[in-house]
């Protein structure tokens, strides 16, 4: 059974960096059939996909335009986890942050986010 | 980027009613669409992928249809445990944009 366990602070000061980690059990961050995603949710923005990392003979990243200048998602193969860093945060970044596996559920290329982390409520405030 | 628009934003129906939620993509996404259910205080759950294929374990009262730009999620007979917010998501390419959600309540 695949599980994702999130960790990281729930309070970040404005202008600082938000850092979260998602530890994977039951699957590999280097899987050729999955991508590893960060999503956030707030009342004003709903579910907002932030970005992903995935391995297909080499590592790839994709990021949402809205955060592209501030975001980094990195895999850590030694610990089988991936991380989110969001720089220069403002109160607008206050949200529940989720990590999620986007798995190849049907050939040839149908995916679905079938496993989610428990969510981390992050508040940006001084 | 492709935008995903859901309607209605909320609805209230009686137990046993047929409920339909619509999702429209701003460009053709073929059938690269998923539907998620999020119950209050819970994480989203994958219901349907490839626009019409039920994820394992999802009750058969849920169904999806559509292709191109217009998609529908139908609950054939609404049950109390279906109270949730439903989201569509496109995945033909990044970004994996979600619709804004449709909140379903029992009348």
């Amino acid at each position: 059974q695949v599980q994702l366990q999130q960790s990281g602070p729930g309070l970040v000061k404005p202008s600082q960096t938000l850092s979260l980690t998602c530890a994977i059990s039951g699957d590999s961050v280097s899987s050729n059939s999955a991508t590893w995603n960060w999503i956030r949710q707030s009342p004003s923005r709903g579910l907002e996909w932030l970005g992903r990392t995935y391995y297909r003979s080499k590592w790839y990243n994709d990021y949402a335009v809205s955060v592209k200048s501030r975001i980094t998602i990195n895999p850590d193969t030694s610990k089988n986890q991936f991380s989110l860093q969001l720089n220069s945060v403002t109160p607008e970044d206050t949200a529940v942050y989720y990590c999620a596996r986007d798995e190849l559920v049907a050939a040839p290329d149908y995916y679905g986010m079938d496993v989610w982390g428990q969510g981390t409520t992050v508040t940006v405030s001084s | 980027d492709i935008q995903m628009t859901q309607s209605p934003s909320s609805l209230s129906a009686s137990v046993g009613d047929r409920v339909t939620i619509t999702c429209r993509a701003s460009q053709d996404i073929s059938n690269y669409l998923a539907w998620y259910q999020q119950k209050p205080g819970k994480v989203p759950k994958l219901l349907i992928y490839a626009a019409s294929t039920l994820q394992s374990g999802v009750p058969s009262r849920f169904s999806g249809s559509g292709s191109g730009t217009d998609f529908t999620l139908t609950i054939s007979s609404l049950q109390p445990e279906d109270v949730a917010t439903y989201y569509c998501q496109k995945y033909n390419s990044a970004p994996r944009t979600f619709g804004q959600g449709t909140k379903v309540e029992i009348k």
Side-chain angles (χ1 to χ4, degrees):
Chain A
Q1 181 184 1
V2 179
Q3 292 185 320
L4 303 179
Q5 181 68 39
Q6 297 178 219
S7 59
L11 180 64
V12 182
K13 289 182 167 49
S15 79
Q16 294 193 343
T17 296
L18 181 161
S19 296
L20 297 174
T21 298
C22 184
I24 304 164
S25 58
D27 199 351
S28 170
V29 71
S30 303
S31 167
N32 277 299
S33 64
T35 71
W36 304 96
N37 298 257
W38 287 99
I39 297 116
R40 68 183 177 184
Q41 185 171 33
S42 65
S44 59
R45 293 172 176 258
L47 283 172
E48 181 183 14
W49 178 84
L50 298 176
R52 64 181 180 180
T53 188
Y54 60 101
Y55 185 78
R56 299 290 186 269
S57 302
K58 68 174 187 176
W59 288 101
Y60 294 88
N61 289 99
D62 293 304
Y63 299 126
V65 169
S66 60
V67 295
K68 192 166 188 174
S69 62
R70 302 191 289 130
I71 190 173
T72 304
I73 295 175
N74 282 325
D76 182 341
T77 56
S78 66
K79 295 181 179 179
N80 200 31
Q81 63 187 28
F82 61 108
S83 63
L84 167 70
Q85 287 196 317
L86 188 65
N87 303 325
S88 305
V89 297
T90 72
E92 294 263 304
D93 295 309
T94 295
V96 178
Y97 285 75
Y98 295 103
C99 59
R101 181 181 79 163
D102 200 8
E103 173 69 3
L104 182 67
V105 291
D109 55 3
Y110 294 104
Y111 284 78
M113 293 185 177
D114 64 342
V115 181
W116 294 66
Q118 79 273 25
T120 301
T121 300
V122 177
T123 302
V124 178
S125 175
S126 54
Chain B
D1 287 349
I2 297 173
Q3 304 304 312
M4 307 300 293
T5 304
Q6 287 181 235
S7 61
S9 56
S10 65
L11 65 89
S12 180
S14 299
V15 172
D17 281 356
R18 183 181 183 88
V19 168
T20 299
I21 299 168
T22 297
C23 176
R24 176 163 289 173
S26 59
Q27 297 177 35
D28 188 341
I29 59 170
S30 184
N31 65 337
Y32 290 97
L33 185 97
W35 288 97
Y36 296 85
Q37 175 194 62
Q38 187 177 29
K39 294 184 177 181
K42 303 294 186 183
V43 304
K45 172 188 173 183
L46 177 65
L47 289 180
I48 287 170
Y49 60 90
S52 61
T53 304
L54 253 59
Q55 173 74 336
S56 175
V58 174
S60 59
R61 63 180 179 275
F62 290 93
S63 64
S65 64
S67 183
T69 61
D70 293 313
F71 303 88
T72 299
L73 172 69
T74 300
I75 308 173
S76 61
S77 177
L78 186 67
Q79 299 302 303
E81 60 266 32
D82 300 335
V83 168
T85 302
Y86 294 83
Y87 296 91
C88 62
Q89 183 198 33
K90 68 98 169 171
Y91 60 95
N92 57 322
S93 63
R96 296 287 207 239
T97 307
F98 291 90
Q100 80 276 21
T102 296
K103 187 174 184 179
V104 174
E105 297 175 320
I106 300 290
K107 194 181 295 182

